[in-house]
Amino acid sequence: MLSRPIRGMKDLCGVELEKYIYVIARARRIAEKYGYTQIKTPILEYTDVFLRSIGDETDVVSKEMYTFIDKGGESLTLRPEGTAGVMRAIASRNLAQQLPLKLMYFGEMFRYDRPQRGRFRQFHQLGFEHIGDKSPFTDAIMIAMAVEILSSVGIFDIKVLVNTLGDDETRENYTKAIVKFFSRNEEALSDESKIRLKKNPLRILDSKDAGDREICAMAPLIADYLSKDSGKYFETVCKLLVGYGLNYEVDSFLVRGLDYYTHTTFELKATSANYKDSLGGGGRYDKLLGLFGDQDVSGIGFAFGMERIMLLINDDSFGKTQKKVCVIPVCDNENNAAFELFKLLQNCDLNAEFLHIGNLTKKMKVAGRMGCEMALIIGETELKNGVITVKFMNKPDDGSKTKLIDKNQIAQFVKCSIGELSWR
Ligand code: HAM
């Protein structure tokens, strides 16, 4: 029981962690090219930060947040996403004085979701927010950057879905239309959607209930309710995407599960045989920063789910740790000499292990288990003659398996052998 992680949460180590670091490194390089700098916000925020921005009728807020009262009586929440915390940070640090801001973040997020493949209760997001620059160019550049990040880690089997939620006028007219439509079908809606119909009708469109989904398929389309300005804005975004040579599909029901979106929304969906869910998504928000007391400054952002990206990256090129040598004293008498050699190799930037516990057979076994390529053995004779016995762990047991090398030349010998063994 004590050794079990919490359901939906897992340790990241070995190949998985290597993949994580690799994706972040690639994304950082690309984001730098697009002018992003990094931000790290706390994992815990006051509950209101999420409640007010994500919306209390969303699944994330109403069902999935890890919320608790701390010892000082404050309601705190483990962040379910990164955008709200970034907006809070911009407001509390007065960063809106330096607009436009382009911020990248990555780290743990928490949602009390039903765990399944690619869905966890603790997961990692890699997110981007571009604040203070409202233009269809910004929207198109951001979508292009998202696609570029995926390609940079070898993910090409994707579908780009885009939609618009328009401006206030659009949403007002569209909300009236769907309220009328869903009211006619109210009896067939799930209990939850009946409540949504009263409180936040747009949220019915991202209901996961099968019955609701059937009704939603017949609902009016937002495209038919766009104000003139919103229509023009979205049309320009789409034209710019064509200019980028990006294949995209307009999905009129892409309302996304968070309340803060206005205008463009988008999602990148995997289309590989291996996985078909959303790798990342986001959109524009006109009113979000205003909620935190700053002026209304428009922004746009998206986040990738790291676990889903890692799922699509081939394991083959990971987990091969850099090759290493081990230094083995035959008996305790040679410990000091072996320890000096170990320090010398480390100072020469070589990956070295010092194996001094147990008898020689045990030490050699450990060396094999650790994947050492060479064992550098120092016994009584080696000590007396100023030499080292080099044992190539993976060579056949013929004349080439062992070599005697002068102790003054050993570091050079190991370095040269690295090339010979074609070490990474
Ligand atoms: P989101 O669509 O809720 O958007 O999450 C973004 C991505 O996080 C999803 O596409 C998915 O890959 C991943 N994700 C979500 N929930 C889980 C989970 N339980 N397990 C594993 N992966 C998950 C947002 O969070 C917005 N903050 C994105 C954004 C940034 N919008 C504007 N700026």
Side-chain angles (χ1 to χ4, degrees):
M1 180 71 179
L2 257 187
S3 59
R4 213 178 43 164
I6 297 170
R7 185 162 132 84
M9 305 196 178
K10 61 174 186 174
D11 308 303
L12 258 191
C13 57
V15 172
E16 280 300 286
L17 186 55
E18 274 194 48
K19 282 190 196 174
Y20 181 87
I21 293 166
Y22 164 78
V23 174
I24 299 291
R26 284 297 174 104
R28 268 185 74 174
R29 174 63 206 112
I30 291 167
E32 216 170 72
K33 188 174 82 175
Y34 283 84
Y36 284 77
T37 54
Q38 276 184 59
I39 186 165
K40 248 180 129 35
T41 61
I43 288 174
L44 278 175
E45 297 277 359
Y46 290 117
T47 301
D48 268 356
V49 167
F50 304 113
L51 210 82
R52 300 274 318 277
S53 53
I54 298 172
D56 50 8
E57 282 308 307
T58 59
D59 278 358
V60 171
V61 167
S62 65
K63 299 184 195 161
E64 298 170 1
M65 292 209 309
Y66 282 88
T67 297
F68 64 96
I69 305 294
D70 77 354
K71 291 191 169 70
E74 303 273 15
S75 178
L76 305 182
T77 294
L78 282 169
R79 63 182 181 198
E81 57 103 59
T83 313
V86 171
M87 295 307 126
R88 196 271 313 134
I90 292 173
S92 56
R93 301 179 71 84
N94 239 343
L95 298 178
Q97 306 303 320
Q98 305 161 27
L99 296 175
L101 283 169
K102 295 187 200 179
L103 300 170
M104 164 185 167
Y105 52 90
F106 54 88
E108 294 77 3
M109 307 290 157
F110 302 84
R111 293 185 191 179
Y112 193 82
D113 221 334
R114 181 138 31 98
Q116 51 184 270
R117 190 155 175 262
R119 175 162 296 142
F120 301 92
R121 289 182 175 173
Q122 177 180 313
F123 60 102
H124 297 79
Q125 277 188 348
L126 164 62
F128 302 84
E129 312 293 342
H130 182 161
I131 304 110
D133 223 347
K134 186 169 180 186
S135 138
F137 283 98
T138 312
D139 301 24
I141 292 170
M142 178 154 266
I143 296 171
M145 181 177 82
V147 173
E148 188 177 338
I149 291 173
L150 290 180
S151 329
S152 78
V153 294
I155 298 176
F156 298 97
D157 292 338
I158 56 161
K159 195 153 72 175
V160 179
L161 302 174
V162 294
N163 190 28
T164 178
L165 299 182
D167 51 13
D168 287 347
E169 183 190 332
T170 304
R171 272 189 315 285
E172 208 174 292
N173 290 334
Y174 184 53
T175 305
K176 274 186 202 152
I178 57 169
V179 166
K180 206 163 153 193
F181 169 80
F182 286 122
S183 300
R184 280 205 310 267
N185 296 282
E186 189 170 352
E187 275 312 297
L189 287 176
S190 66
D191 288 347
E192 247 175 299
S193 283
K194 282 181 186 138
I195 298 170
R196 290 177 180 130
L197 182 56
K198 306 254 157 3
K199 293 191 168 173
N200 192 344
L202 257 184
R203 290 273 70 85
I204 301 175
L205 295 173
D206 53 48
S207 163
K208 289 170 193 134
D209 179 273
D212 287 350
R213 298 246 43 88
E214 267 177 40
I215 301 167
C216 287
M218 297 177 294
L221 301 180
I222 196 161
D224 297 326
Y225 294 85
L226 291 179
S227 67
K228 210 166 144 222
D229 286 350
S230 299
K232 204 163 151 232
Y233 190 98
F234 188 55
E235 203 181 303
T236 315
V237 173
C238 292
K239 274 193 188 141
L240 290 167
L241 291 178
V242 173
Y244 261 114
L246 280 179
N247 283 326
Y248 67 89
E249 284 172 31
V250 176
D251 174 352
S252 305
F253 292 118
L254 187 68
V255 291
R256 312 238 333 113
L258 314 163
D259 268 358
Y260 48 64
Y261 294 114
T262 52
H263 289 283
T264 314
T265 54
F266 61 97
E267 223 161 87
L268 295 104
K269 266 201 160 155
T271 55
S272 76
N274 184 14
Y275 196 66
K276 294 204 185 312
D277 212 338
S278 166
L279 298 176
R284 181 162 284 286
Y285 40 84
D286 279 348
K287 304 250 163 75
L288 189 51
L289 198 55
L291 292 179
F292 293 91
D294 252 315
Q295 74 263 39
D296 270 340
V297 181
S298 185
I300 181 165
F302 75 97
F304 284 125
M306 286 293 290
E307 281 73 9
R308 298 181 184 189
I309 291 183
M310 282 144 64
L311 205 91
L312 291 174
I313 296 179
N314 204 326
D315 281 7
D316 292 350
S317 39
F318 293 90
K320 294 190 189 81
T321 48
Q322 209 183 356
K323 304 201 171 162
K324 53 184 163 194
V325 289
C326 61
V327 184
I328 299 183
V330 175
C331 300
D332 286 353
N333 283 347
E334 292 88 38
N335 272 357
N336 284 344
F339 187 49
E340 288 306 313
L341 176 57
F342 160 75
K343 288 194 287 185
L344 173 79
L345 296 173
Q346 289 274 358
N347 285 340
C348 292
D349 225 14
L350 292 160
N351 290 0
E353 296 281 350
F354 176 44
L355 302 182
H356 58 97
I357 294 170
N359 61 25
L360 185 60
T361 316
K362 187 175 170 201
K363 289 180 227 178
M364 290 302 285
K365 260 193 195 151
V366 175
R369 227 174 20 237
M370 289 177 127
C372 294
E373 292 283 330
M374 279 188 235
L376 310 184
I377 301 166
I378 305 180
E380 201 182 341
T381 322
E382 284 87 352
L383 203 56
K384 200 165 85 200
N385 298 332
V387 292
I388 315 283
T389 295
V390 178
K391 201 163 198 166
F392 293 94
M393 307 289 286
N394 300 324
K395 283 199 179 172
D397 219 349
D398 54 23
S400 67
K401 184 137 182 120
T402 52
K403 254 188 163 73
L404 270 187
I405 303 293
D406 190 290
K407 78 171 189 185
N408 295 318
Q409 291 172 338
I410 190 69
Q412 197 56 28
F413 176 82
V414 172
K415 273 199 167 168
C416 292
S417 304
I418 286 172
E420 188 192 305
L421 293 166
S422 64
W423 290 17
R424 227 168 50 142

